[in-house]
């Protein structure tokens, strides 16, 4: 894997060559929730590096689809991805039609992610159909963000060509583009609260647009990995009431090729420090040890299975 050069250098300086195992977690943009989640996991894993000889590092990436493809190619050991994208990759549907990623394995489902439409107040986007004729950022190509927005469009009789602009900015670029009036709104599949939307709402008046109706009901009925939820009120300036939408789970995934020891160590580090972990980001406040097994749409890795069984959760 791609850490070999670094591993060789560090082991030559500090440890016998056989002693250390280096793992990298692919995340997303630095202002989203994936990046601090990867950092939180690595912090807990690295507390035990003297005993386990496992060193964890985090990488900012293009998100769900990128992470799964990179794991498939053996360039990343772990990645965080939306449960709908994990489902498609595991079953060979959607973006992965006819090409299932058979080696893809789940480690745990971490927290809920909600599809959030963040609009400038002066753009007068009060419901989904109002995006027609507007400049809307769907997400960078290959992100779960873009995939989910396009799924919603399909069930809502909206085409990309209906938009004045179908943007492909990365998550980290979206708040500035909204503030600078380069876009009218952006979709973001994310755990709340997020610094990304806080940045946007602190620099321009924004509205979190409700995503509800028969179109959303039909989408959820056809895609069982989606579920209704609300973006809580009071998290972002000017948005004091809960806003209905739907979402998925953020899932930590890995490959069959990653050692049972590495996966076991990651799960153990999180579960044995669960109260500490929950305090590392507000998006984790309502998760439970049992909820880590909800919404998994790829088989559980043997290393994860081993620890969950030992802990009496599975």
């Amino acid at each position: 894997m791609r850490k070999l050069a670094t591993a060789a250098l560090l082991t030559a300086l500090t440890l016998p060559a056989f002693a250390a195992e280096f793992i990298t977690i692919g995340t997303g943009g630095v202002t989203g929730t994936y990046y601090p989640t990867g950092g939180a996991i690595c912090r807990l894993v690295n507390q035990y590096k003297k005993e386990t000889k496992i060193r964890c590092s985090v990488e900012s990436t293009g998100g769900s689809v990128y992470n799964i493809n990179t794991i498939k190619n053996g360039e990343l050991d772990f990645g965080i991805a939306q449960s709908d994208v994990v489902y498609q990759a595991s079953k060979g549907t959607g973006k992965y039609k006819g090409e299932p990623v058979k080696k893809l394995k789940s480690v745990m489902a971490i927290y809920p992610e909600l599809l959030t439409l963040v609009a400038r107040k002066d753009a007068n986007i009060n419901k989904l159909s109002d995006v027609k004729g507007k400049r809307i950022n769907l997400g960078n190509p290959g992100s779960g963000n873009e995939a989910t927005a396009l799924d919603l469009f399909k069930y809502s009789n909206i085409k990309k060509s209906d938009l004045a602009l179908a943007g492909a900015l990365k998550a980290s670029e979206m708040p500035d583009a909204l503030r600078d009036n380069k876009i009218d709104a952006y979709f973001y599949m994310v755990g709340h609260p997020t610094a990304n939307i806080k940045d946007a709402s602190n620099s321009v008046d924004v509205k979190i647009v409700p995503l509800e109706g028969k179109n959303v009901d039909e989408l959820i009925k056809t895609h069982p990995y989606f579920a209704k939820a609300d973006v809580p009120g009071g998290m972002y300036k000017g948005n004091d009431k809960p806003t209905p939408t739907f979402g998925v789970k953020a899932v930590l995934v890995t490959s069959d090729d990653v050692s049972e020891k590495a996966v076991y160590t990651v799960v153990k580090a999180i579960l044995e420090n669960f109260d500490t972990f929950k305090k590392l980001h507000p998006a984790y406040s309502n998760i439970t040890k049992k909820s880590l097994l909800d919404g998994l749409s790829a088989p559980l890795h043997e290393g994860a299975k081993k620890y969950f069984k030992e802990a009496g959760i599975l």
Side-chain angles (χ1 to χ4, degrees):
M1 295 190 185
R2 111 177 121 177
K3 284 76 63 188
L4 287 178
T6 313
L9 176 62
L10 282 169
T11 49
L13 293 172
T14 58
L15 292 162
F18 60 85
E21 187 174 348
F22 290 80
I23 59 173
T24 303
I25 302 176
T27 58
V30 292
T31 59
T33 313
Y34 283 10
Y35 188 76
T37 297
I41 294 168
C42 280
R43 206 171 312 152
L44 296 176
V45 170
N46 288 336
Q47 282 180 7
Y48 302 98
K49 62 188 177 188
K50 281 186 181 172
E51 303 99 86
T52 63
K53 303 292 187 284
I54 289 173
R55 314 290 176 90
C56 182
S57 63
V58 67
E59 191 171 306
S60 173
T61 71
S64 299
V65 177
Y66 179 95
N67 291 341
I68 289 172
N69 289 343
T70 319
I71 286 169
K72 177 186 172 186
N73 297 333
E75 293 164 16
L76 278 176
D77 308 295
F78 294 84
I80 303 171
Q82 294 175 198
S83 55
D84 55 327
V85 181
V86 176
Y87 178 93
Q88 291 169 8
S90 182
K91 302 281 191 286
T93 64
K95 277 182 175 286
Y96 296 87
K97 193 167 186 179
E99 295 180 353
V101 183
K102 291 179 180 174
K103 62 169 74 172
L104 188 68
K105 293 289 180 281
S106 296
V107 179
M108 63 177 66
I110 311 172
Y111 60 86
E113 291 188 275
L114 306 180
L115 187 66
T116 313
L117 179 54
V118 185
R120 290 178 62 97
K121 267 207 174 145
D122 58 15
N124 293 317
I125 300 172
N126 298 306
K127 56 187 184 299
L128 180 64
S129 57
D130 293 340
V131 301
K132 291 181 179 181
K134 301 284 169 62
R135 302 163 300 165
I136 310 296
N137 198 76
L138 301 175
N140 55 296
S143 64
N145 201 67
E146 178 200 48
T148 309
L150 291 176
D151 268 345
L152 177 62
F153 275 15
K154 195 164 82 178
Y155 282 81
S156 309
N157 201 24
I158 299 171
K159 301 183 184 72
K160 274 171 89 170
S161 57
D162 292 332
L163 307 176
L165 168 77
L169 298 172
K170 292 178 184 172
S172 57
E173 299 169 320
M174 300 188 299
D176 285 348
L178 196 75
R179 182 197 66 206
D180 298 340
N181 203 12
K182 291 177 179 171
I183 56 173
D184 296 308
Y186 63 85
F187 283 99
Y188 198 15
M189 180 70 95
V190 72
H192 294 282
T194 171
N196 178 293
I197 299 174
K198 281 190 174 179
D199 289 350
S201 65
N202 288 336
S203 56
V204 65
D205 288 340
V206 305
K207 179 181 175 66
I208 308 292
V209 181
L211 300 174
E212 59 183 341
K214 285 183 181 174
N215 52 335
V216 172
D217 294 344
E218 194 59 35
L219 174 68
I220 292 169
K221 191 176 162 187
T222 317
H223 301 82
Y225 40 76
F226 287 131
K228 288 183 183 182
D230 289 338
V231 177
M235 286 194 165
Y236 308 109
K237 195 174 163 188
N239 291 269
D240 298 327
K241 293 181 180 173
T243 307
T245 182
F246 66 97
V248 291
K249 278 287 198 77
V251 182
L252 183 64
V253 291
T254 187
S255 160
D256 260 347
D257 300 334
V258 174
S259 74
E260 187 176 304
K261 179 190 172 187
V263 178
Y264 177 90
T265 300
V266 168
V267 177
K268 184 178 181 181
I270 295 168
L271 270 289
E272 288 194 350
N273 299 276
F274 197 60
D275 290 338
T276 303
F277 179 71
K278 283 182 68 170
K279 289 173 188 162
L280 294 175
H281 197 284
Y284 318 150
S285 57
N286 295 317
I287 65 174
T288 65
K289 288 182 178 182
K290 283 192 172 176
S291 76
L292 299 177
L293 292 169
D294 294 339
L296 297 179
S297 40
L300 204 57
H301 190 283
E302 286 303 317
K305 208 180 278 182
K306 183 181 175 187
Y307 188 81
F308 280 120
K309 279 182 178 172
E310 282 179 14
I313 299 163
L314 193 63

